[in-house]
Amino acid sequence: MSGYKHAAEMLARRQKADGARGWRERLRTLFLIDEQSPELVMSQYVALTQQIPTLYLVLGINVVMLSLTHISSTPWWLTSALPAPLLGVGVARCYRWMRWRGVAVELDVAAARLKSVVVLVGVLGAGFTVWALALLPYGDAYAQCHVEFFMAVTVVTTCFSLMQLRAAALLLVVIMFVPFGVVFLTSPHPAMVAIAINMLLVACSMVLALLRFYGDFAALILSEHELIVRQQETQRLSDENFRLANIDVLTSLPNRRRFFTELEATLDRAARGERCFAVALIDLDRFKTVNDMHGHAAGDRLLTQVGLRLKRLSGPELFVARLGGDEFGVILTDCHSPEPLKAFSTKVTQALSGPCVVGDRLASISCSIGVAVFPQAGATSEELFERADYALYHGKQAHKGELVVFSDEHEVRIRRAAQIEQAIRTADFETEMWVAFQPIVDVRHSHVLAFEALARWDSRELGPVGPDVFVPLAERTRMIGQLTEVLLAKALTAARGWPAGVSLCFNLSAQNLGSAETMDAVHRLVRQSGLAASRIEFEVTETALLEEFEVATRAIDDLRALGVRVALDDFGTGFSSLGYVHRLKLDKIKIDKSFVTDVERSAQAGAIIKTIVALCRNLSLDCVVEGVETQMQMQIIAGLGCHHMQGYFVSKPVTGDVVTRLIERINANADAVREGAAQ
Ligand code: C2E
Ligand code: CA
Ligand code: CA
């Protein structure tokens, strides 16, 4: 339903309610101001400030002209003394209403002024009626006609000028027309009677028009008001929607969307004013552990506390938002030198260092901060954000708990990574990729047990690229399946030429285990290789298993069903290694080289190796220690009960064509082991 129709119905209902109160009451309300509708009173008042001055002007001129046409035939007090005070009141009112034009007033003032109009219309209307009737007996027929005309014109003008104030307009019609009608109708002149009838008809149609106009006017104002109320409600709802869409429910901080809006706006201002600003990303250290150990509710509680503390830091030069998870974004507009950044870092560290409730105890929280400064680190919001993110995650590895600003060195690394990515996408794996082999020996008898195949890439464009760089990259670009197939085929071909007692160890990545297509290819290659399955061993890391445990376990079971062996690589670097050892069907554990590095100095590293060796013995698993670089390390580890070793001390990874000679040398005597290492 349209607003207007609704308002008209409201008005009709109100009138019906009035009707129920009896006609006398209805008649009375016609002459009252409708104070129930403040918006109607205000609109009436505004309309009258425009119309009343003109009304008084026209009325004044008419009065002066009527006086002038009677001046010679009528006593002076009738032409001057009587109208003068009425005119004086008119002039004063005209002046006042002119001054009130455009000036805002309170509702009660407007209502009082409207009432004064009704009262004055009554007083002045009666005054002018008495004056005009008093003039009638004087002058000739023309002068009398002028009086009649004056009355008619005055009523019509006043009525039209006061149409928005129904009470005043109706009152005037009654006050001026009723006495005149009575006088004219009772006149002996038929013309006078005719005029009276004419005037009566005019008065009736005017009253009808007036009532209709007023009804429409009031309905319009009410509908306008209703429209405004609805608009305000719509605006309120839309404001609320906007607020909710831009706020993070958990911490009440601005959310990711709001952060990017603010970032765009800041960038705009900074670009125009050539000012600098910084984007900082804050990431809580070890938040995942809190979630894992104490549950998500505890994690949420911690985030709420952190959010509250960071919120206290925000101000005109520091905008804080929660981007999601345990990551918070900050825009710093004051960063003309490194000092404000340092001060910011200190403030954040201090804010978070106070004890937080974590689960059922208090703990202090630390965080890492990555910063990108405009314009040095980037020109767009995406660039700045990405670089702050880069600084955060690369900083997190080396400088946990510190602020790291994106630097030129980072830029070089990003460029290099982009180059490598480009190169691997266009690489010909068959010709550019090859495998190196590193022996795993039993140091007691100086006997080669196996060779681990290690991927190597000689890029056409970039030269040699290390596996620690291109293997994760191949995983990210989803090319690892293809890479694995090429490398495994090459490794199997090479292994076919080795003595029967020497096995092949091959690394599989997480994605390999998760891809049915790659695992099918692995099975096919193993079957077609002509190599006994028992001579093949696949190495998988804990992180590979962590990603999709069920899928990985199934893939491992399938491999073992084929007759190949499976080893758990980099053991000890993950989180819950022992759990996996129990749940997985494994053949071997490879103790990570990080324990070997420390074994000469740290009794603890030695104790860990000893424990793992004992564990393997209990579970009937083979055990290999990797990364053995010195004779001392070899002796200590052998003393701890582990004799299967891999490392530079025995030999660095070598090319396929050297393998057979290396086996012979190692198997020949212990001294050859050292020779191999020197190669
Ligand atoms: P990994 O599986 O732990 O392989 C052992 C790594 O330790 C090799 O590095 C090897 O060269 C190195 N290493 C061996 N002995 C010593 C030592 O005495 N001291 C030190 N410091 N390092 C030693 P590499 O060849 O650079 O490979 C790095 C990693 O790349 C591998 O670690 C493995 O995770 C991955 N990788 C290599 N080849 C492949 C592959 O064909 N497929 C997959 N998925 N990953 C591979
Ligand atoms: Ca390995
Ligand atoms: Ca390893």
Side-chain angles (χ1 to χ4, degrees):
M1 192 193 299
S2 78
Y4 178 78
K5 221 165 150 191
H6 187 244
E9 275 184 13
M10 257 176 59
L11 208 71
R13 269 204 299 279
R14 203 185 284 176
Q15 280 165 358
K16 211 168 157 191
D18 288 346
R21 277 187 262 136
W23 68 269
R24 255 194 230 108
E25 183 65 17
R26 277 168 68 191
L27 199 66
R28 205 175 71 84
T29 50
L30 286 179
F31 293 92
L32 290 177
I33 289 164
D34 194 351
E35 282 180 87
Q36 278 176 359
S37 317
E39 55 286 352
L40 182 59
V41 171
M42 293 313 287
S43 304
Q44 287 174 309
Y45 176 75
V46 171
L48 290 197
T49 53
Q50 299 296 322
Q51 284 147 216
I52 284 189
T54 328
L55 168 66
Y56 277 119
L57 198 71
V58 174
L59 189 66
I61 294 169
N62 285 356
V63 168
V64 170
M65 296 222 284
L66 189 62
S67 290
L68 287 177
T69 55
H70 281 76
I71 206 149
S72 53
S73 58
T74 315
W76 71 271
W77 57 271
L78 258 182
T79 52
S80 322
L82 194 64
L86 296 174
L87 262 181
V89 173
V91 170
R93 295 292 290 172
C94 178
Y95 174 71
R96 276 197 135 177
W97 277 93
M98 266 167 53
R99 289 197 54 195
W100 289 340
R101 238 182 227 180
V103 180
V105 290
E106 294 292 324
L107 175 69
D108 52 343
V109 176
R113 286 179 187 170
L114 292 184
K115 274 185 204 157
S116 76
V117 172
V118 178
V119 173
L120 263 178
V121 159
V123 173
L124 289 179
F128 281 118
T129 308
V130 170
W131 178 61
L133 285 174
L135 287 178
L136 254 188
Y138 302 96
D140 52 14
Y142 287 117
Q144 284 179 356
C145 272
H146 191 182
V147 173
E148 288 151 19
F149 188 72
F150 167 79
M151 286 302 288
V153 163
T154 305
V155 172
V156 172
T157 314
T158 315
C159 217
F160 273 112
S161 302
L162 299 177
M163 269 183 124
Q164 283 88 352
L165 195 60
R166 182 181 61 188
L170 281 179
L171 189 66
L172 189 84
V173 173
V174 174
I175 286 179
M176 292 189 94
F177 271 162
V178 171
F180 251 79
V182 172
V183 170
F184 278 39
L185 278 175
T186 53
S187 163
H189 300 291
M192 291 287 223
V193 175
I195 289 174
I197 292 169
N198 286 345
M199 278 174 70
L200 218 66
L201 289 173
V202 168
C204 285
S205 53
M206 237 166 52
V207 166
L208 285 175
L210 175 76
L211 292 178
R212 219 173 298 128
F213 170 83
Y214 183 79
D216 287 351
F217 172 73
L220 192 74
I221 299 301
L222 286 178
S223 81
E224 255 177 26
H225 172 69
E226 206 189 331
L227 207 70
I228 290 170
V229 170
R230 276 197 216 170
Q231 268 173 354
Q232 282 170 344
E233 180 61 10
T234 314
Q235 187 62 45
R236 194 189 63 75
L237 287 174
S238 124
D239 288 352
E240 182 64 9
N241 261 350
F242 180 79
R243 198 184 68 81
L244 288 176
N246 284 281
I247 207 151
D248 171 60
V249 186
L250 188 67
T251 59
S252 302
L253 279 171
N255 63 9
R256 192 180 186 87
R257 172 206 289 253
R258 176 80 183 83
F259 176 79
F260 279 101
T261 315
E262 186 65 25
L263 182 54
E264 284 294 344
T266 312
L267 188 68
D268 239 36
R269 283 195 299 272
R272 269 186 272 124
E274 288 179 4
R275 268 175 289 134
C276 73
F277 72 94
V279 177
L281 300 182
I282 302 174
D283 193 274
L284 304 186
D285 296 333
R286 286 180 293 277
F287 178 72
K288 195 177 172 308
T289 322
V290 173
N291 252 350
D292 289 348
M293 283 174 60
H294 302 281
H296 284 269
D300 282 358
R301 220 170 313 132
L302 175 65
L303 287 175
T304 315
Q305 295 169 66
V306 170
L308 205 72
R309 292 181 189 190
L310 291 178
K311 199 175 192 171
R312 285 195 208 116
L313 301 182
S314 34
E317 288 172 343
L318 210 147
F319 176 88
V320 186
R322 179 174 170 230
L323 303 176
D326 61 335
E327 197 173 72
F328 295 83
V330 178
I331 300 171
L332 283 137
T333 39
D334 176 24
C335 68
H336 47 274
S337 63
E339 272 68 44
L341 288 179
K342 274 190 214 142
F344 163 71
S345 167
T346 315
K347 263 199 280 184
V348 172
T349 317
Q350 277 172 356
L352 299 188
S353 64
C356 284
V357 181
V358 178
D360 48 7
R361 59 198 174 87
L362 290 176
S364 108
I365 292 290
S366 69
C367 67
S368 303
I369 308 173
V371 174
V373 179
F374 172 85
Q376 296 91 317
T380 65
S381 53
E382 289 81 17
E383 265 174 7
L384 288 167
F385 187 84
E386 272 170 21
R387 272 132 206 227
D389 201 41
Y390 188 92
L392 172 65
Y393 283 99
H394 284 73
K396 216 169 167 122
Q397 285 158 11
H399 318 273
K400 219 179 186 115
E402 286 178 27
L403 176 135
V404 175
V405 181
F406 185 85
S407 64
D408 291 347
E409 193 195 316
H410 291 134
E411 182 72 49
V412 170
R413 267 198 257 163
I414 284 186
R415 291 232 176 94
R416 169 86 180 152
Q419 272 178 343
I420 296 175
E421 186 168 336
Q422 182 60 29
I424 203 170
R425 283 183 195 280
T426 54
D428 175 10
F429 286 0
E430 276 300 336
T431 56
E432 294 179 40
M433 300 288 179
W434 56 279
V435 266
F437 297 97
Q438 189 179 29
I440 298 167
V441 298
D442 182 336
V443 291
R444 278 172 303 186
H445 321 291
S446 189
H447 170 66
V448 177
L449 301 166
F451 277 89
E452 179 177 3
L454 294 161
R456 296 290 177 262
W457 178 27
D458 284 338
S459 163
R460 241 178 313 143
E461 295 156 45
L462 307 171
V465 181
D468 46 338
V469 174
F470 74 81
V471 170
L473 182 64
E475 286 174 346
R476 197 156 51 76
T477 51
R478 307 246 140 217
M479 299 172 90
I480 189 75
Q482 193 196 341
L483 181 66
T484 298
E485 286 183 40
V486 172
L487 292 171
L488 181 59
K490 291 190 179 204
L492 288 167
T493 309
R496 267 206 301 267
W498 300 345
V502 178
S503 302
L504 167 73
C505 302
F506 189 87
N507 293 287
L508 287 178
S509 88
Q511 265 181 46
N512 291 155
L513 296 176
S515 156
E517 202 187 331
T518 309
M519 291 318 290
D520 283 349
V522 168
H523 281 242
R524 196 188 62 242
L525 287 168
V526 168
R527 277 196 301 264
Q528 290 171 355
S529 67
L531 214 64
S534 57
R535 285 180 60 198
I536 303 171
E537 187 170 286
F538 287 103
E539 297 187 3
V540 294
T541 58
E542 281 175 68
T543 30
L545 300 174
L546 262 176
E547 285 187 14
E548 271 183 285
F549 188 75
E550 297 303 324
V551 181
T553 343
R554 223 173 303 129
I556 289 171
D557 289 347
D558 290 350
L559 282 174
R560 294 186 81 245
L562 202 64
V564 302
R565 290 156 52 86
V566 176
L568 189 59
D569 203 357
D570 302 343
F571 189 79
T573 54
F575 289 100
S576 39
S577 315
L578 287 176
Y580 289 114
V581 175
H582 278 296
R583 287 159 73 186
L584 287 168
K585 295 187 190 84
L586 297 168
D587 299 287
K588 189 200 257 184
I589 277 177
K590 289 186 85 172
I591 301 175
D592 190 68
K593 53 182 170 284
S594 55
F595 298 107
V596 182
T597 320
D598 295 338
V599 83
E600 289 173 50
R601 293 180 305 276
S602 148
Q604 205 185 359
I608 292 173
I609 294 178
K610 198 173 177 182
T611 312
I612 302 173
V613 170
L615 175 88
C616 289
R617 201 166 296 145
N618 286 341
L619 296 172
S620 307
L621 297 175
D622 283 346
C623 180
V624 173
V625 174
E626 61 181 3
V628 181
E629 293 183 351
T630 64
Q631 188 165 21
M632 174 79 104
Q633 286 172 349
M634 188 183 77
Q635 282 165 352
I636 295 173
I637 291 162
L640 293 171
C642 183
H643 306 286
H644 294 182
M645 296 186 204
Q646 177 183 1
Y648 294 166
F649 178 68
V650 178
S651 169
K652 283 195 170 177
V654 296
T655 51
D657 55 329
V658 193
V659 167
T660 324
R661 255 185 298 143
L662 186 61
I663 296 173
E664 283 164 9
R665 276 192 214 156
I666 296 172
N667 288 354
N669 58 56
D671 290 343
V673 169
R674 263 162 233 110
E675 260 181 59
Q679 278 195 357

